[in-house]
Amino acid sequence: DLTAMDEVSNRVQVFARARPLSSSESTREPFVEADDIGHAVVVRYDGDASPCSAVETSSSDGGRAFNFDGVFTAESTQQAVFTQVGLPVLQGCMQGFNGTILAYGQTGSGKTHSLMHQSADTQQSGLLPRLVASLFMQIAQDADSIYEIEAAAVQVYNEQVDDLLHPDRENGMGFNLAVQNGGLVPGLTWVRCGRPESLLDAFSRARSNLVYAETRMNKASSRSHAVFQVKITRRSHSDRTGEEDPKRQCECTSARLNVIDLAGSERVKKSGAEGAQLKEALAINKSLLVFGNVVSALAAKRTHVPFRESKLTRILDGSIGGNSRTSLLVCVSPAAENAAETLSALEFASRAMRVEVDARRMSFLDSSDVMEDSRAQLADMMDASLREELEAAKRRARELEEELAAARRGERELLRNAQAMEARA
């Protein structure tokens, strides 16, 4: 809940999730044991497995334990992940605090499934679809406020920032954008969304523009880092100036929610990447290395933090160690052949727990006419199909008026003709 988030709001919250063993991995014992009650992930040393030979052991049973703010086992539900990782961040955003949710881990560890998965079976829906549903549910329950919801999305591909929602992408627009301090992207396309369906549709269109490729380790491997953003602006109806003043000052909050699906690190020998995929893999690994250096520098409270060494970390400037409540979900594979990558991810997650943040509530007073603003907001939030029906009804009414006017003109003409015939008679 939000109180739990407040207790550790001065640092990054870190969670770990272990995916189930695949059919090809199930013949061996899992290398990782996840304890959701004790909030620990235990890495077991297996002397017979060569990938484990580099694992440091620190307990009598040959294991090494990592403790986090929360741990999810292979049996944990998508709802449990959302409740612990996503919901507190969203609730903070509704109050005016920026929020960031990141998924980190090697390729094939379950990051995209945890964050982005959409399914007819709602129980399998990932964190982002659940955030969208919860956002509009909370808006519907807040009758005292007016909300404006906007969406944007970018990918970091081969050290290039691309706008995933630019309306003219097919003609080469929205590519290789600049990134300013604080992770701001000038000229980024923002889409206003008045309903959960329109927000989900915007993110679906963005996902369709992401770069994927098949590797030995993952049939649909992300070749870019994906950043989905929601801007939440809330205007309150509270009267600050008294009854005589027709203008009312209303309290406003503005927050940005970032959901970031980091491309998975991969060992080129394992993935079999060649040609363009090799270039993509090298760019991914380099950006994740810089990200790791940034987290290490922030955890150690160094004066210099290398945000500028990668487009990814430029985008994350402000989301990590800045003005944002941040949750990190580290996804790991329990398979012994991925031991080195799993251990590296867990060590990274441990360092991230020492990164401090400085989230500040973004609020201000707006002296605009509340009723006029309400009408404008409601007009913007109207469903497109309803607007079309209204316009069609107006057009039909105009046509009927024209038909009626023509009929009346015809009646008058007949009356004049009759009177003329009568006069002649």
Side-chain angles (χ1 to χ4, degrees):
D1 57 19
L2 193 58
T3 304
M5 172 65 94
D6 288 337
E7 292 175 356
V8 289
S9 59
N10 64 331
R11 66 164 175 84
V12 173
Q13 278 201 287
V14 180
F15 303 84
R17 187 180 197 183
R19 66 163 173 78
L21 288 167
S22 67
S23 56
S24 61
E25 299 165 341
S26 59
T27 57
R28 303 181 62 180
E29 287 295 317
F31 171 74
V32 165
E33 293 182 11
D35 177 6
D36 55 345
I37 297 178
H39 295 180
V41 176
V42 178
V43 177
R44 298 294 181 190
Y45 175 70
D46 182 358
D48 297 329
S50 57
C52 304
S53 58
V55 175
E56 245 179 81
T57 61
S58 58
S59 62
S60 58
D61 62 353
R64 182 176 175 186
F66 295 85
N67 292 96
F68 301 110
D69 295 296
V71 169
F72 305 100
T73 69
E75 290 75 34
S76 296
T77 64
Q78 296 277 64
Q79 178 63 36
V81 175
F82 168 70
T83 301
Q84 293 189 51
V85 180
L87 186 57
V89 176
L90 175 62
Q91 290 175 329
C93 289
M94 302 298 284
Q95 294 188 0
F97 294 92
N98 291 332
T100 299
I101 300 167
L102 304 100
Y104 178 94
Q106 76 175 110
T107 185
S109 60
K111 301 181 304 299
T112 301
H113 174 77
S114 297
L115 280 192
M116 311 299 301
H117 187 67
Q118 286 185 262
S119 170
D121 181 3
T122 56
Q123 292 185 352
Q124 295 301 317
S125 295
L127 194 144
L128 184 59
R130 292 174 187 273
L131 281 171
V132 171
S134 182
L135 167 64
F136 280 93
M137 186 180 298
Q138 293 185 51
I139 288 175
Q141 294 171 349
D142 185 4
D144 296 328
S145 303
I146 301 166
Y147 289 84
E148 181 178 303
I149 306 300
E150 295 175 279
V154 300
Q155 71 173 353
V156 181
Y157 175 68
N158 283 345
E159 282 301 295
Q160 176 176 300
V161 177
D162 302 332
D163 186 344
L164 295 174
L165 291 176
H166 197 286
D168 209 16
R169 277 180 59 88
E170 293 182 358
N171 294 321
M173 303 297 291
F175 291 88
N176 201 17
L177 303 179
V179 184
Q180 294 181 344
N181 290 339
L184 299 177
V185 181
L188 185 61
T189 302
W190 287 92
V191 179
R192 184 170 291 181
C193 303
R195 301 163 61 240
E197 293 83 0
S198 58
L199 185 52
L200 286 172
D201 177 68
F203 288 145
S204 294
R205 285 187 285 117
R207 285 193 69 188
S208 69
N209 290 323
L210 288 170
V211 180
Y212 292 94
E214 182 174 349
T215 69
R216 291 178 190 166
M217 298 182 68
N218 193 347
K219 288 185 177 181
S221 175
S222 301
R223 312 313 288 170
S224 64
H225 307 292
V227 181
F228 301 89
Q229 298 183 324
V230 182
K231 194 186 298 181
I232 304 170
T233 305
R234 179 183 66 85
R235 290 176 171 84
S236 170
H237 288 299
S238 57
D239 187 353
R240 304 275 179 148
T241 59
E243 296 180 357
E244 292 129 14
D245 195 338
K247 297 283 186 177
R248 291 181 179 179
Q249 282 190 325
C250 58
E251 183 189 32
C252 302
T253 61
S254 179
R256 185 172 300 183
L257 172 61
N258 298 317
V259 178
I260 302 167
D261 185 11
L262 296 170
S265 60
E266 61 182 69
R267 298 202 172 190
V268 174
K269 287 184 179 180
K270 276 190 179 182
S271 65
E274 298 177 344
Q277 290 185 21
L278 176 60
K279 179 182 177 183
E280 294 164 351
L282 294 175
I284 291 169
N285 290 342
K286 177 189 173 184
S287 61
L288 290 174
L289 175 63
V290 175
F291 181 39
N293 293 338
V294 164
V295 168
S296 296
L298 290 170
K301 299 181 176 59
R302 296 179 194 145
T303 55
H304 173 68
V305 181
F307 279 111
R308 293 181 174 272
E309 293 183 8
S310 166
K311 287 293 180 67
L312 171 63
T313 48
R314 290 278 284 165
I315 287 280
L316 295 178
D317 184 10
S319 298
I320 295 291
N323 181 21
S324 178
R325 289 181 169 179
T326 302
S327 288
L328 172 68
L329 177 64
V330 174
C331 297
V332 297
S333 164
E337 53 263 38
N338 297 322
E341 291 89 344
T342 294
L343 184 63
S344 175
L346 294 172
E347 289 175 336
F348 167 83
S350 292
R351 290 193 297 274
M353 289 188 72
R354 301 197 300 272
V355 175
E356 296 181 354
V357 300
D358 183 23
R360 299 179 297 278
R361 187 170 184 265
M362 310 300 290
S363 64
F364 55 95
L365 291 178
D366 184 3
S367 59
S368 60
D369 188 300
V370 172
M371 291 305 295
E372 185 175 330
D373 184 66
S374 299
R375 295 190 195 98
Q377 291 293 326
L378 289 172
D380 290 336
M381 303 278 277
M382 280 182 63
D383 179 84
S385 62
L386 291 177
R387 289 200 301 270
E388 291 175 2
E389 290 177 11
L390 180 60
E391 290 300 320
K394 288 180 178 177
R395 287 195 298 271
R396 182 57 182 156
R398 287 194 294 268
E399 291 172 359
L400 290 172
E401 288 176 357
E402 292 173 0
E403 292 175 5
L404 180 60
R408 286 173 177 170
R409 286 195 299 270
E411 289 177 357
R412 287 195 295 269
E413 185 66 26
L414 288 173
L415 180 60
R416 283 195 297 270
N417 290 339
Q419 289 173 344
M421 291 175 64
E422 184 179 348
R424 286 196 298 272

